[in-house]
Protein backbone atom coordinates (compact mmCIF):
# COMPACT_ATOMS: atom_id res chain seq x y z
CA UNK A 1 0.00 0.00 0.00
CA UNK A 2 1.40 3.41 -1.01
CA UNK A 3 -0.45 6.74 -1.10
CA UNK A 4 0.94 10.24 -1.69
CA UNK A 5 0.32 12.58 1.26
CA UNK A 6 2.46 15.72 1.37
CA UNK A 7 2.28 18.01 4.39
CA UNK A 8 1.85 21.73 3.75
CA UNK A 9 2.77 24.12 6.56
CA UNK A 10 0.72 27.30 6.63
CA UNK A 11 -0.59 30.09 8.82
CA UNK A 12 -3.70 30.28 6.58
CA UNK A 13 -5.60 27.08 7.24
CA UNK A 14 -9.00 28.52 6.35
CA UNK A 15 -7.81 29.97 3.04
CA UNK A 16 -6.30 26.62 2.10
CA UNK A 17 -9.47 24.80 3.10
CA UNK A 18 -11.50 27.08 0.81
CA UNK A 19 -9.21 26.25 -2.11
CA UNK A 20 -9.11 22.51 -1.47
CA UNK A 21 -12.87 22.21 -1.10
CA UNK A 22 -13.22 24.25 -4.29
CA UNK A 23 -11.04 21.66 -6.00
CA UNK A 24 -13.45 18.98 -4.88
CA UNK A 25 -11.36 17.57 -2.03
CA UNK A 26 -13.01 16.32 1.16
CA UNK A 27 -11.86 17.10 4.70
CA UNK A 28 -11.36 13.89 6.65
CA UNK A 29 -9.45 15.16 9.71
CA UNK A 30 -10.20 18.46 11.45
CA UNK A 31 -8.03 19.36 14.42
CA UNK A 32 -6.89 22.79 15.69
CA UNK A 33 -3.46 22.58 14.05
CA UNK A 34 -3.90 19.68 11.62
CA UNK A 35 -6.36 19.05 8.77
CA UNK A 36 -6.38 16.33 6.13
CA UNK A 37 -8.11 16.38 2.76
CA UNK A 38 -8.76 13.49 0.39
CA UNK A 39 -8.60 14.00 -3.37
CA UNK A 40 -9.87 11.54 -5.93
CA UNK A 41 -6.27 10.30 -5.91
CA UNK A 42 -3.95 11.05 -3.01
CA UNK A 43 -4.26 13.08 0.15
CA UNK A 44 -2.94 16.39 1.50
CA UNK A 45 -2.33 17.36 5.13
CA UNK A 46 -2.24 20.96 6.38
CA UNK A 47 -0.18 21.79 9.47
CA UNK A 48 -0.67 25.15 11.17
CA UNK A 49 2.41 27.29 11.86
CA UNK A 50 2.69 30.89 13.00
CA UNK A 51 2.66 33.57 10.33
CA UNK A 52 6.16 34.58 9.28
CA UNK A 53 7.82 31.44 10.64
CA UNK A 54 10.46 29.73 8.53
CA UNK A 55 8.07 26.87 7.74
CA UNK A 56 5.13 29.07 6.72
CA UNK A 57 4.27 28.29 3.10
CA UNK A 58 6.56 25.26 2.77
CA UNK A 59 5.76 21.67 1.86
CA UNK A 60 7.25 18.39 3.04
CA UNK A 61 7.18 15.35 0.80
CA UNK A 62 5.34 12.47 2.43
CA UNK A 63 3.57 9.17 1.80
CA UNK A 64 1.30 6.76 3.66
CA UNK A 65 1.84 3.01 3.81
CA UNK A 66 -0.06 0.02 5.18
CA UNK A 67 2.61 -1.80 7.19
CA UNK A 68 5.58 0.28 8.32
CA UNK A 69 7.86 -2.66 9.11
CA UNK A 70 7.20 -4.41 5.81
CA UNK A 71 7.54 -1.14 3.90
CA UNK A 72 10.89 -0.43 5.58
CA UNK A 73 12.12 -3.95 4.84
CA UNK A 74 11.20 -3.80 1.16
CA UNK A 75 12.63 -0.31 0.73
CA UNK A 76 15.93 -1.27 2.35
CA UNK A 77 16.07 -4.39 0.19
CA UNK A 78 15.49 -2.40 -2.99
CA UNK A 79 17.92 0.30 -1.84
CA UNK A 80 20.64 -2.27 -1.24
CA UNK A 81 20.20 -3.63 -4.76
CA UNK A 82 20.00 -0.21 -6.43
CA UNK A 83 22.39 1.56 -4.10
CA UNK A 84 21.72 4.61 -1.97
CA UNK A 85 18.20 4.47 -0.47
CA UNK A 86 17.89 3.88 3.27
CA UNK A 87 14.75 3.28 5.37
CA UNK A 88 14.65 3.55 9.17
CA UNK A 89 11.78 3.09 11.60
CA UNK A 90 11.64 6.07 13.96
CA UNK A 91 9.50 7.50 16.76
CA UNK A 92 8.37 10.85 15.36
CA UNK A 93 6.45 13.54 17.27
CA UNK A 94 3.19 12.16 15.85
CA UNK A 95 4.00 8.47 16.44
CA UNK A 96 5.91 5.70 14.72
CA UNK A 97 7.05 6.48 11.21
CA UNK A 98 9.64 5.44 8.64
CA UNK A 99 12.29 7.86 7.44
CA UNK A 100 13.41 7.34 3.84
CA UNK A 101 16.78 8.87 3.04
CA UNK A 102 18.16 9.22 -0.47
CA UNK A 103 21.81 9.02 -1.44
CA UNK A 104 22.12 12.82 -1.42
CA UNK A 105 20.79 13.05 2.15
CA UNK A 106 17.29 14.29 1.28
CA UNK A 107 14.72 12.56 3.48
CA UNK A 108 10.98 12.29 3.90
CA UNK A 109 8.56 10.28 6.03
CA UNK A 110 6.22 7.38 5.40
CA UNK A 111 3.42 7.32 7.95
CA UNK A 112 0.90 4.55 8.67
CA UNK A 113 -2.33 4.88 6.69
CA UNK A 114 -5.81 4.43 8.12
CA UNK A 115 -8.32 2.21 6.34
CA UNK A 116 -11.59 3.64 5.09
CA UNK A 117 -14.89 2.73 6.74
CA UNK A 118 -15.36 -0.14 4.27
CA UNK A 119 -11.95 -1.58 5.18
CA UNK A 120 -10.25 -0.50 1.96
CA UNK A 121 -7.23 1.75 1.56
CA UNK A 122 -9.23 4.09 -0.68
CA UNK A 123 -9.95 7.73 0.06
CA UNK A 124 -13.28 9.51 0.33
CA UNK A 125 -15.86 8.51 -2.27
CA UNK A 126 -17.23 12.06 -2.05
CA UNK A 127 -14.07 13.68 -3.49
CA UNK A 128 -13.93 14.77 -7.12
CA UNK A 129 -12.46 11.66 -8.82
CA UNK A 130 -10.58 13.85 -11.31
CA UNK A 131 -8.34 15.59 -8.76
CA UNK A 132 -4.95 14.07 -7.95
CA UNK A 133 -2.40 15.36 -5.43
CA UNK A 134 1.15 15.71 -6.80
CA UNK A 135 4.15 15.68 -4.48
CA UNK A 136 7.21 17.20 -6.16
CA UNK A 137 10.83 16.48 -5.28
CA UNK A 138 13.40 18.94 -6.66
CA UNK A 139 16.88 17.44 -6.80
CA UNK A 140 20.28 18.14 -8.34
CA UNK A 141 20.44 14.40 -9.07
CA UNK A 142 17.04 13.66 -10.58
CA UNK A 143 18.16 10.19 -11.66
CA UNK A 144 19.04 9.17 -8.09
CA UNK A 145 15.82 10.72 -6.76
CA UNK A 146 13.78 8.74 -9.28
CA UNK A 147 15.60 5.58 -8.17
CA UNK A 148 14.57 6.26 -4.57
CA UNK A 149 10.93 6.60 -5.60
CA UNK A 150 11.15 3.26 -7.39
CA UNK A 151 12.69 1.79 -4.23
CA UNK A 152 9.64 2.78 -2.16
CA UNK A 153 7.31 1.12 -4.68
CA UNK A 154 6.16 4.01 -6.87
CA UNK A 155 5.53 3.07 -10.50
CA UNK A 156 7.10 5.19 -13.28
CA UNK A 157 4.68 7.00 -15.58
CA UNK A 158 5.63 8.61 -18.90
CA UNK A 159 5.66 12.40 -18.64
CA UNK A 160 3.24 13.89 -21.17
CA UNK A 161 5.21 16.89 -22.41
CA UNK A 162 6.65 19.93 -20.68
CA UNK A 163 3.34 21.29 -19.39
CA UNK A 164 3.05 18.90 -16.46
CA UNK A 165 2.88 20.07 -12.88
CA UNK A 166 5.86 22.18 -11.95
CA UNK A 167 7.05 25.56 -10.74
CA UNK A 168 9.35 28.34 -11.81
CA UNK A 169 12.25 26.39 -10.29
CA UNK A 170 11.50 23.18 -12.18
CA UNK A 171 13.04 22.11 -15.48
CA UNK A 172 10.24 19.89 -16.75
CA UNK A 173 12.41 18.63 -19.60
CA UNK A 174 14.40 16.80 -16.92
CA UNK A 175 11.52 15.52 -14.82
CA UNK A 176 9.95 12.17 -14.22
CA UNK A 177 6.55 11.21 -12.84
CA UNK A 178 5.51 8.21 -10.73
CA UNK A 179 2.16 6.83 -9.66
CA UNK A 180 1.45 5.55 -6.15
CA UNK A 181 -0.66 2.37 -6.11
CA UNK A 182 -3.25 3.74 -3.70
CA UNK A 183 -3.45 7.29 -4.96
CA UNK A 184 -1.45 10.35 -5.87
CA UNK A 185 1.51 11.23 -8.08
CA UNK A 186 5.17 11.77 -7.24
CA UNK A 187 7.27 13.90 -9.56
CA UNK A 188 11.00 14.49 -9.67
CA UNK A 189 12.30 17.70 -11.18
CA UNK A 190 15.78 19.11 -11.65
CA UNK A 191 16.63 21.64 -8.96
CA UNK A 192 19.67 23.37 -7.53
CA UNK A 193 21.16 23.19 -4.05
CA UNK A 194 19.74 21.04 -1.29
CA UNK A 195 16.80 18.85 -2.23
CA UNK A 196 13.40 20.39 -1.59
CA UNK A 197 9.70 19.59 -1.96
CA UNK A 198 6.81 21.22 -3.77
CA UNK A 199 3.10 20.73 -4.26
CA UNK A 200 0.82 20.56 -7.29
CA UNK A 201 -2.29 18.90 -8.63
CA UNK A 202 -3.56 17.15 -11.74
CA UNK A 203 -7.09 17.20 -13.07
CA UNK A 204 -8.66 14.57 -15.30
CA UNK A 205 -11.51 16.75 -16.46
CA UNK A 206 -12.44 20.13 -17.95
CA UNK A 207 -9.93 22.73 -16.70
CA UNK A 208 -12.21 25.57 -17.78
CA UNK A 209 -15.07 24.16 -15.71
CA UNK A 210 -12.72 23.75 -12.74
CA UNK A 211 -11.53 27.34 -13.16
CA UNK A 212 -15.14 28.53 -13.08
CA UNK A 213 -15.80 26.51 -9.94
CA UNK A 214 -12.75 27.97 -8.23
CA UNK A 215 -13.62 31.52 -9.26
CA UNK A 216 -17.14 31.11 -7.88
CA UNK A 217 -15.64 30.01 -4.57
CA UNK A 218 -13.48 33.16 -4.44
CA UNK A 219 -10.21 31.69 -5.67
CA UNK A 220 -8.25 33.58 -8.34
CA UNK A 221 -7.50 31.19 -11.20
CA UNK A 222 -6.50 31.44 -14.86
CA UNK A 223 -5.64 28.97 -17.61
CA UNK A 224 -2.18 29.46 -19.11
CA UNK A 225 -0.96 27.62 -22.21
CA UNK A 226 2.72 26.66 -22.30
CA UNK A 227 3.98 24.70 -25.29
CA UNK A 228 0.32 24.37 -26.34
CA UNK A 229 -0.47 22.51 -23.10
CA UNK A 230 -3.06 24.18 -20.83
CA UNK A 231 -2.30 24.55 -17.13
CA UNK A 232 -4.54 26.10 -14.51
CA UNK A 233 -2.71 28.63 -12.34
CA UNK A 234 -4.38 29.29 -8.98
CA UNK A 235 -3.52 32.03 -6.52
CA UNK A 236 -1.54 30.57 -3.64
CA UNK A 237 -3.48 30.84 -0.36
CA UNK A 238 -0.22 31.70 1.42
CA UNK A 239 -0.05 35.02 -0.44
CA UNK A 240 -2.31 37.83 -1.61
CA UNK A 241 -2.97 37.06 -5.26
CA UNK A 242 -1.03 35.48 -8.10
CA UNK A 243 1.33 38.44 -8.50
CA UNK A 244 2.51 38.21 -4.89
CA UNK A 245 3.63 34.58 -4.93
CA UNK A 246 4.21 31.83 -7.50
CA UNK A 247 0.82 30.24 -8.15
CA UNK A 248 -0.16 26.64 -7.65
CA UNK A 249 -0.22 24.63 -10.85
CA UNK A 250 -3.02 22.25 -11.81
CA UNK A 251 -2.12 20.39 -14.96
CA UNK A 252 -4.33 18.39 -17.26
CA UNK A 253 -3.97 14.68 -16.55
CA UNK A 254 -2.50 12.67 -19.44
CA UNK A 255 -5.03 10.92 -21.60
CA UNK A 256 -5.31 7.16 -21.35
CA UNK A 257 -4.55 6.87 -25.03
Amino acid sequence: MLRVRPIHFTSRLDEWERLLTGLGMVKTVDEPTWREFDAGSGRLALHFVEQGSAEDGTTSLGVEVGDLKEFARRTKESGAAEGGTAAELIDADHGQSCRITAADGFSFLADPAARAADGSWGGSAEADPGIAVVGVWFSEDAVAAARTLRDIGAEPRPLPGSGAVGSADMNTAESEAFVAKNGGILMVGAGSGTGSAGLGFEYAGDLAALRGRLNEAGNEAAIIEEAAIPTLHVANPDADGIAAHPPLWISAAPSAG
Side-chain angles (χ1 to χ4, degrees), residues 94-191:
H94 55 277
Q96 191 172 42
S97 184
C98 179
R99 180 187 290 119
I100 301 101
T101 305
D104 64 358
F106 179 79
S107 66
F108 57 96
L109 296 181
D111 290 325
R115 291 184 183 272
D118 62 1
S120 72
W121 294 115
S124 172
E126 299 176 1
D128 185 330
I131 286 288
V133 176
V134 182
V136 188
W137 176 358
F138 299 105
S139 174
E140 286 188 331
D141 191 345
V143 173
R147 184 169 59 239
T148 292
L149 295 183
R150 289 195 298 271
D151 288 342
I152 69 170
E155 296 291 333
R157 187 190 74 179
L159 189 67
S162 61
V165 175
S167 78
D169 298 324
M170 183 172 180
N171 178 358
T172 53
E174 299 181 29
S175 59
E176 189 169 356
F178 294 77
V179 176
K181 178 180 179 181
N182 297 88
I185 299 161
L186 294 166
M187 179 172 285
V188 174

